[in-house]
Short mmCIF file of all heavy atoms in Angstrom, two decimals:
data_model
loop_
_atom_site.label_atom_id
_atom_site.label_comp_id
_atom_site.label_asym_id
_atom_site.label_seq_id
_atom_site.Cartn_x
_atom_site.Cartn_y
_atom_site.Cartn_z
N LEU A 23 72.79 96.42 -159.06
CA LEU A 23 72.10 95.24 -159.31
C LEU A 23 71.39 94.78 -157.97
O LEU A 23 70.19 94.35 -157.99
CB LEU A 23 73.09 94.18 -159.87
CG LEU A 23 73.66 94.23 -161.15
CD1 LEU A 23 74.50 93.08 -161.46
CD2 LEU A 23 72.52 94.36 -162.21
N SER A 43 76.91 113.19 -158.75
CA SER A 43 76.24 113.10 -160.11
C SER A 43 75.67 114.41 -160.47
O SER A 43 75.09 115.19 -159.65
CB SER A 43 75.22 112.08 -160.10
OG SER A 43 74.58 111.90 -161.31
N GLU A 52 65.79 105.12 -153.45
CA GLU A 52 66.38 106.42 -153.22
C GLU A 52 67.91 106.45 -153.14
O GLU A 52 68.48 105.44 -152.56
CB GLU A 52 65.84 106.84 -151.84
CG GLU A 52 66.33 108.37 -151.55
CD GLU A 52 65.69 108.78 -150.10
OE1 GLU A 52 64.92 108.04 -149.54
OE2 GLU A 52 66.06 109.87 -149.66
N VAL A 72 71.76 97.58 -141.90
CA VAL A 72 72.74 98.35 -142.67
C VAL A 72 73.66 97.42 -143.42
O VAL A 72 74.28 96.45 -142.84
CB VAL A 72 73.64 99.17 -141.76
CG1 VAL A 72 74.65 99.95 -142.56
CG2 VAL A 72 72.71 100.22 -141.00
N ARG A 80 84.06 105.62 -143.42
CA ARG A 80 83.34 106.82 -143.48
C ARG A 80 81.83 106.57 -143.28
O ARG A 80 81.13 107.48 -142.73
CB ARG A 80 83.49 107.47 -144.93
CG ARG A 80 84.87 108.13 -145.13
CD ARG A 80 84.94 108.64 -146.56
NE ARG A 80 86.13 109.24 -146.73
CZ ARG A 80 86.36 110.46 -147.14
NH1 ARG A 80 85.36 111.28 -147.07
NH2 ARG A 80 87.59 110.97 -147.34
N PHE A 87 77.48 103.94 -132.28
CA PHE A 87 76.60 104.66 -131.41
C PHE A 87 75.22 104.29 -131.55
O PHE A 87 74.35 104.38 -130.67
CB PHE A 87 76.67 106.12 -131.74
CG PHE A 87 78.17 106.72 -131.62
CD1 PHE A 87 78.91 106.86 -132.79
CD2 PHE A 87 78.69 106.89 -130.39
CE1 PHE A 87 80.15 107.33 -132.74
CE2 PHE A 87 79.96 107.38 -130.41
CZ PHE A 87 80.76 107.60 -131.50
N ALA A 95 79.69 93.06 -147.27
CA ALA A 95 80.20 92.20 -148.31
C ALA A 95 81.59 92.63 -148.69
O ALA A 95 81.87 93.80 -148.89
CB ALA A 95 79.27 92.37 -149.53
N THR A 98 87.25 92.63 -151.79
CA THR A 98 88.71 92.75 -152.02
C THR A 98 89.38 92.47 -150.64
O THR A 98 88.66 92.31 -149.58
CB THR A 98 89.13 94.11 -152.54
OG1 THR A 98 90.53 93.99 -152.94
CG2 THR A 98 88.95 95.22 -151.48
N SER A 129 91.13 85.07 -146.36
CA SER A 129 91.98 86.03 -145.96
C SER A 129 91.48 86.91 -144.71
O SER A 129 92.20 87.74 -144.22
CB SER A 129 92.29 87.10 -147.12
OG SER A 129 91.04 87.93 -147.27
N MET A 132 87.36 86.62 -139.71
CA MET A 132 86.02 86.24 -139.22
C MET A 132 85.30 85.29 -140.13
O MET A 132 85.64 85.24 -141.28
CB MET A 132 85.29 87.53 -138.92
CG MET A 132 84.69 88.19 -140.19
SD MET A 132 85.96 89.13 -141.12
CE MET A 132 86.31 90.48 -140.06
N VAL A 147 74.63 88.33 -173.09
CA VAL A 147 73.99 87.11 -173.56
C VAL A 147 74.64 86.79 -174.93
O VAL A 147 75.24 87.60 -175.49
CB VAL A 147 72.50 87.27 -173.70
CG1 VAL A 147 71.77 87.52 -172.46
CG2 VAL A 147 72.15 88.37 -174.73
N LEU A 174 101.30 90.28 -173.88
CA LEU A 174 102.07 90.68 -175.06
C LEU A 174 103.28 89.82 -175.11
O LEU A 174 103.70 89.46 -176.37
CB LEU A 174 102.49 92.19 -174.91
CG LEU A 174 101.30 93.21 -174.92
CD1 LEU A 174 101.86 94.60 -174.87
CD2 LEU A 174 100.42 93.07 -176.21
N ILE A 210 105.14 92.83 -182.66
CA ILE A 210 103.80 92.33 -182.71
C ILE A 210 102.69 93.42 -182.75
O ILE A 210 101.51 93.13 -182.62
CB ILE A 210 103.38 91.42 -181.51
CG1 ILE A 210 103.52 92.14 -180.16
CG2 ILE A 210 104.32 90.12 -181.60
CD1 ILE A 210 102.99 91.35 -178.99
N VAL A 217 91.46 99.52 -178.63
CA VAL A 217 90.19 100.10 -179.14
C VAL A 217 89.52 101.06 -178.03
O VAL A 217 88.46 101.64 -178.30
CB VAL A 217 89.16 99.10 -179.55
CG1 VAL A 217 89.75 98.25 -180.71
CG2 VAL A 217 88.84 98.13 -178.38
N ARG A 220 85.01 100.33 -173.52
CA ARG A 220 83.71 99.89 -174.03
C ARG A 220 82.84 99.52 -172.86
O ARG A 220 83.43 98.85 -171.91
CB ARG A 220 83.82 98.67 -174.99
CG ARG A 220 84.56 98.96 -176.17
CD ARG A 220 83.80 99.68 -177.27
NE ARG A 220 84.62 99.93 -178.48
CZ ARG A 220 84.89 99.14 -179.50
NH1 ARG A 220 84.39 97.90 -179.46
NH2 ARG A 220 85.66 99.44 -180.42
N SER A 224 77.95 97.85 -176.14
CA SER A 224 79.10 97.82 -176.99
C SER A 224 80.13 96.68 -176.49
O SER A 224 80.70 96.08 -177.33
CB SER A 224 79.71 99.18 -176.91
OG SER A 224 80.99 99.19 -177.64
N ALA A 227 78.67 93.30 -177.36
CA ALA A 227 78.88 92.99 -178.77
C ALA A 227 80.40 92.55 -179.03
O ALA A 227 80.56 91.63 -179.79
CB ALA A 227 78.48 94.17 -179.57
N GLY A 246 86.36 88.24 -160.44
CA GLY A 246 86.52 88.59 -161.89
C GLY A 246 85.16 88.54 -162.73
O GLY A 246 85.03 87.56 -163.32
N GLY A 266 90.76 84.95 -156.64
CA GLY A 266 89.47 84.31 -156.90
C GLY A 266 89.16 84.04 -158.41
O GLY A 266 88.01 83.67 -158.70
N ALA A 287 100.94 81.32 -173.23
CA ALA A 287 101.14 80.98 -174.71
C ALA A 287 100.58 79.58 -174.96
O ALA A 287 99.83 79.34 -175.84
CB ALA A 287 102.50 81.10 -175.08
N THR A 308 77.11 77.12 -168.91
CA THR A 308 75.62 77.41 -168.68
C THR A 308 75.26 77.09 -167.36
O THR A 308 74.64 77.94 -166.66
CB THR A 308 74.80 76.40 -169.72
OG1 THR A 308 75.24 76.71 -171.03
CG2 THR A 308 73.36 76.72 -169.47
N ALA A 309 75.61 76.00 -166.68
CA ALA A 309 75.26 75.66 -165.42
C ALA A 309 76.02 76.63 -164.40
O ALA A 309 75.43 76.92 -163.37
CB ALA A 309 75.61 74.17 -165.04
N THR A 328 68.52 89.11 -144.02
CA THR A 328 67.40 88.85 -143.31
C THR A 328 67.78 88.12 -141.99
O THR A 328 67.32 88.49 -140.87
CB THR A 328 66.30 87.91 -144.04
OG1 THR A 328 66.03 88.65 -145.27
CG2 THR A 328 65.17 87.69 -143.20
N ASP A 329 68.68 87.17 -142.07
CA ASP A 329 69.14 86.43 -140.88
C ASP A 329 69.82 87.42 -139.88
O ASP A 329 69.57 87.38 -138.71
CB ASP A 329 70.14 85.44 -141.19
CG ASP A 329 69.60 84.18 -141.97
OD1 ASP A 329 68.31 84.18 -142.01
OD2 ASP A 329 70.25 83.40 -142.60
N ALA A 331 69.12 90.72 -139.73
CA ALA A 331 68.16 91.76 -139.22
C ALA A 331 67.30 91.07 -138.16
O ALA A 331 66.97 91.82 -137.20
CB ALA A 331 67.30 92.13 -140.43
N PRO A 334 68.54 87.40 -132.78
CA PRO A 334 68.37 87.96 -131.51
C PRO A 334 69.48 88.99 -131.03
O PRO A 334 70.67 88.85 -131.46
CB PRO A 334 68.39 86.80 -130.56
CG PRO A 334 68.07 85.67 -131.43
CD PRO A 334 68.62 85.87 -132.72
N ALA A 335 69.22 90.03 -130.40
CA ALA A 335 70.20 91.05 -130.03
C ALA A 335 71.40 90.34 -129.20
O ALA A 335 72.49 90.79 -129.31
CB ALA A 335 69.63 92.12 -129.19
N GLY A 343 81.67 90.78 -128.91
CA GLY A 343 82.48 90.64 -127.69
C GLY A 343 83.64 89.87 -127.88
O GLY A 343 83.98 89.40 -128.95
#
Side-chain angles (χ1 to χ4, degrees):
L23 292 178
S43 177
E52 183 180 355
V72 177
R80 286 175 181 247
F87 307 99
T98 191
S129 75
M132 72 287 290
V147 296
L174 295 179
I210 58 169
V217 299
R220 302 277 177 86
S224 176
T308 302
T328 302
D329 289 347

